[in-house]
Amino acid sequence: MNSNKWVTGCVVGTLRVHKQSQNSDIDIRLKKLVDERECLLEQIKKLKGQLEERQRNIRLDSLHPEDGVLQNGTDVHVMDLQRDANRQISDLKFKLAKSEQEITALEQNVIRLESQVSRYKLAAENAEKIEDELKAEKRKLQRELRSALDKTEELEVSNGHLVKRLEKMKANRSVLLSQQ
């Protein structure tokens, strides 16, 4: 029974963690299974109590036989009731075991999904870091481009002035040569 308390504690703890993050289908199914498990445990307790009560009644009836035929009839009836109760108990035990298996499978699924989430978070953080680095590199390259364009423009203006001076010098030389 201690393992049941531990499993219940684990499941409740897991449910609390998942309620904080999000209500997913797995969380809902896990909660349903826990509720169903608790209901089945309660039914088993009730049926065991009924079975014990009937067994006590059978013992009391066998201690106080009122009528032999009635006692035999009661025994058959009680045996049928006991068989039905045992069948119900075994059915509920089977359902309980099945629910516990489903809970275990869902817990493993939750663990797997949590590890996936952590991997995705890490990948997203790395992608954001790379994005920030790329943005910084882009800003640096844009500054260098603006600087290069400004320098090119300055050189073109300077080149234009030099070309005009050269033309003036050529014109002056032509004038000097023509005067000689």
Side-chain angles (χ1 to χ4, degrees):
M1 199 65 178
N2 286 338
S3 66
N4 288 340
K5 288 181 183 177
W6 181 81
V7 169
T8 303
C10 288
V11 171
V12 169
T14 303
L15 284 175
R16 285 187 192 130
V17 168
H18 287 291
K19 281 183 182 178
Q20 292 171 355
S21 63
Q22 64 182 10
N23 283 334
S24 66
D25 292 337
I26 293 172
D27 295 333
I28 294 169
R29 286 179 48 203
L30 189 61
K31 183 171 178 14
K32 281 177 152 177
L33 287 172
V34 169
D35 291 343
E36 182 180 342
R37 178 181 179 271
E38 290 172 3
C39 181
L40 291 174
L41 285 172
E42 189 64 34
Q43 286 181 351
I44 288 173
K45 288 178 186 176
K46 286 180 184 177
L47 289 173
K48 282 183 178 179
Q50 289 175 359
L51 181 60
E52 290 172 3
E53 182 67 30
R54 287 180 184 162
Q55 287 174 345
R56 274 188 250 129
N57 288 340
I58 290 172
R59 287 186 202 123
L60 290 176
D61 287 345
S62 65
L63 290 176
H64 303 291
E66 296 170 0
D67 188 3
V69 175
L70 183 61
Q71 183 180 358
N72 288 339
T74 303
D75 285 343
V76 170
H77 178 68
V78 168
M79 295 288 270
D80 287 342
L81 290 176
Q82 188 172 3
R83 259 187 255 117
D84 287 343
N86 286 336
R87 183 184 47 77
Q88 286 178 350
I89 288 173
S90 64
D91 287 346
L92 290 174
K93 282 182 180 178
F94 174 76
K95 286 181 181 180
L96 177 64
K98 186 176 177 182
S99 294
E100 287 176 345
Q101 287 176 346
E102 288 180 17
I103 287 171
T104 303
L106 288 173
E107 286 174 342
Q108 290 171 350
N109 199 14
V110 164
I111 290 168
R112 181 183 58 81
L113 291 173
E114 285 175 345
S115 66
Q116 266 186 339
V117 165
S118 65
R119 283 195 310 269
Y120 289 148
K121 281 183 180 178
L122 183 62
E125 289 170 1
N126 288 337
E128 287 175 1
K129 183 179 176 183
I130 290 170
E131 180 184 15
D132 291 341
E133 291 171 359
L134 289 173
K135 284 180 181 178
E137 182 70 20
K138 180 182 175 184
R139 286 191 297 270
K140 178 183 169 189
L141 291 173
Q142 285 177 336
R143 277 193 306 269
E144 289 176 4
L145 176 64
R146 278 194 302 271
S147 174
L149 288 174
D150 290 344
K151 189 167 186 163
T152 303
E153 187 177 334
E154 287 175 19
L155 290 173
E156 285 176 353
V157 168
S158 176
N159 189 30
H161 289 302
L162 291 174
V163 166
K164 286 181 185 176
R165 280 182 65 193
L166 182 63
E167 287 175 2
K168 283 182 183 179
M169 290 174 79
K170 282 182 182 178
N172 287 340
R173 185 176 144 204
S174 297
V175 169
L176 283 176
L177 286 176
S178 63
Q179 287 176 358
Q180 288 179 358

